[in-house]
């Protein structure tokens, strides 16, 4: 049974930092591309970071330079380090593991709230 479990969300002040973790089980973690998405109330889900199985990363302009995605294949975990957080980063953050359309898995999400 495939399971992705996010952790590390919470309330943080603007300018602060959080590190999200996503622990995977039931998949050959190292061969999956891993992504973080987020969805704010009333908005569509958006991609915020991707790391290929080879470690290549990519980010949208909205988070580039502030967010860093990295993975530890031995721990079967992907991380999202978020710095210089802004109120507009407030959202539910989701972890995704994808190899192709047949093998596409999601975690339940973790809430991140940036507010003073």
């Amino acid at each position: 049974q495939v399971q992705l479990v996010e952790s590390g969300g919470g309330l943080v002040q603007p300018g602060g930092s959080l590190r999200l973790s996503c622990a995977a089980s039931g998949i050959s973690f190292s061969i999956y591309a891993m992504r973080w998405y987020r969805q704010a109330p009333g908005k569509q889900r958006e991609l915020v970071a991707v790391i290929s199985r080879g470690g290549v990363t990519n980010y949208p302009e909205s988070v580039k330079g502030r967010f860093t995605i990295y993975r530890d294949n031995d721990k079967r975990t992907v991380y999202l380090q978020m710095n210089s957080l802004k109120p507009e980063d407030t959202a539910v953050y989701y972890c995704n593991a994808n190899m192709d359309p047949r093998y596409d898995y999601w975690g339940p999400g973790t809430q991140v709230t940036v507010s003073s």
Side-chain angles (χ1 to χ4, degrees):
Q1 181 180 357
V2 178
Q3 193 170 22
L4 302 178
V5 179
E6 302 99 337
S7 60
L11 174 64
V12 63
Q13 292 187 341
S17 297
L18 281 176
R19 189 183 76 161
L20 305 183
S21 301
C22 172
S25 59
I27 58 172
S28 298
F29 181 79
S30 64
I31 66 173
Y32 277 75
M34 299 299 297
R35 294 174 173 84
W36 286 96
Y37 289 80
R38 67 185 179 189
Q39 188 166 20
K43 295 188 176 181
Q44 288 190 331
R45 190 171 294 190
E46 65 170 334
L47 176 67
V48 295
V50 58
I51 185 166
S52 73
R53 60 184 186 180
V56 177
T57 60
N58 203 2
Y59 309 88
E61 286 299 321
S62 59
V63 306
K64 193 173 291 185
R66 299 189 299 122
F67 289 12
T68 302
I69 186 171
Y70 59 102
R71 64 193 299 162
D72 185 331
N73 288 339
D74 290 337
K75 294 184 177 179
R76 305 166 66 86
T77 300
V78 63
Y79 303 92
L80 184 67
Q81 178 66 44
M82 304 185 296
N83 299 329
S84 303
L85 283 161
K86 306 175 182 179
E88 51 264 43
D89 294 318
T90 294
V92 178
Y93 283 71
Y94 298 91
C95 174
N96 169 261
N98 179 272
M99 190 165 64
D100 67 35
R102 297 168 297 170
Y103 304 101
D104 185 71
Y105 305 106
W106 294 84
T110 186
Q111 176 71 47
V112 172
T113 302
V114 185
S115 174
S116 55

